[in-house]
């Protein structure tokens, strides 16, 4: 008797070239869980993205504004589509966020470093959402896209 092993598909992040290409194609980033506290990682990362020329759209209930931009309580209430959704929420919230992304036809999803929900990432990818998980968007932007220093 032969046993057939079934496995849940494993998630794999896009490679460096694909991530670099993504940065060249986006302008507006919704940051889910963006804290108004300058000491929080979400604030520091979003601030760095803003300084790099991206428009940041804060998504956080009970906050009016972050980084000079109007904050929205959830993705469904955004007044216009965004190029990328960057997530700073814990892993247990990712399934609902993926549902929102699918419903709203979000094309790109970035799940910050330290946040892992493999099933949610696999499901997002299966719905055609370009997805990165457990990587820092600021680190990848600076290492993959910032111009190298000129010598001489």
């Amino acid at each position: 008797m032969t046993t057939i092993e079934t496995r849940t598909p494993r998630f794999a992040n896009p490679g460096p070239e694909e991530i670099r290409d993504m940065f060249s194609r986006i302008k507006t980033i919704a940051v889910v869980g963006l804290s108004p506290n300058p000491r929080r990682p979400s604030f520091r990362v979003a601030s760095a993205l803003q300084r790099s020329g991206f428009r940041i759209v804060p998504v956080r209930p009970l906050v009016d504004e972050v980084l000079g931009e109007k904050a929205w309580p959830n993705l469904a209430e955004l007044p216009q589509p965004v190029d990328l959704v960057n997530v700073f929420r814990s892993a247990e919230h990712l399934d609902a966020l993926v549902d929102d992304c699918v419903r709203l036809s979000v094309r790109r999803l970035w799940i910050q470093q330290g946040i892992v929900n493999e099933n949610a990432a696999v499901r997002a990818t299966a719905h055609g959402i370009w997805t990165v998980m457990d990587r820092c968007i600021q680190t990848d932007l600076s290492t993959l896209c910032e111009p190298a220093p000129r010598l001489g």
Side-chain angles (χ1 to χ4, degrees):
M1 179 174 196
T2 304
T3 303
I4 298 174
E5 185 179 323
T6 58
R7 298 184 72 183
T8 303
R10 305 296 291 171
F11 175 78
N13 279 316
E17 287 296 322
E18 197 175 337
I19 291 172
R20 186 179 298 115
D21 181 60
M22 182 277 308
F23 280 119
S24 72
R25 296 174 182 276
I26 66 168
K27 292 180 173 70
T28 306
I29 302 172
V31 182
V32 177
L34 176 52
S35 173
N37 181 345
R39 294 184 181 138
R40 301 292 300 163
S42 62
F43 186 94
R44 291 192 310 267
V45 168
S47 180
L49 293 170
Q50 196 177 51
R51 285 190 309 272
S52 293
F54 297 100
R55 178 165 178 256
I56 299 302
V57 180
V59 178
R60 185 175 179 119
L62 308 176
V63 173
D64 293 328
E65 180 181 291
V66 182
L67 293 169
E69 295 283 348
K70 178 177 173 31
W72 300 91
N74 55 58
L75 290 175
E77 294 191 39
L78 295 179
Q80 60 193 29
V82 294
D83 298 318
L84 174 76
V85 171
N86 180 219
V87 180
F88 279 92
R89 298 286 320 269
S90 56
E92 66 264 15
H93 297 285
L94 288 178
D95 290 311
L97 278 167
V98 168
D99 291 342
D100 290 344
C101 288
V102 169
R103 197 170 26 262
L104 298 168
S105 300
V106 168
R107 295 179 55 208
R108 297 174 190 93
L109 177 64
W110 192 293
I111 303 163
Q112 275 300 130
Q113 185 174 6
I115 306 168
V116 177
N117 180 330
E118 186 139 351
N119 290 334
V122 166
R123 198 162 50 84
T125 303
H127 282 282
I129 300 171
W130 184 92
T131 304
V132 170
M133 181 174 66
D134 194 23
R135 293 181 67 105
C136 178
I137 193 170
Q138 178 188 2
T139 300
D140 277 4
L141 177 65
S142 65
T143 55
L144 297 175
C145 300
E146 297 296 319
R150 293 180 183 238
L151 302 175

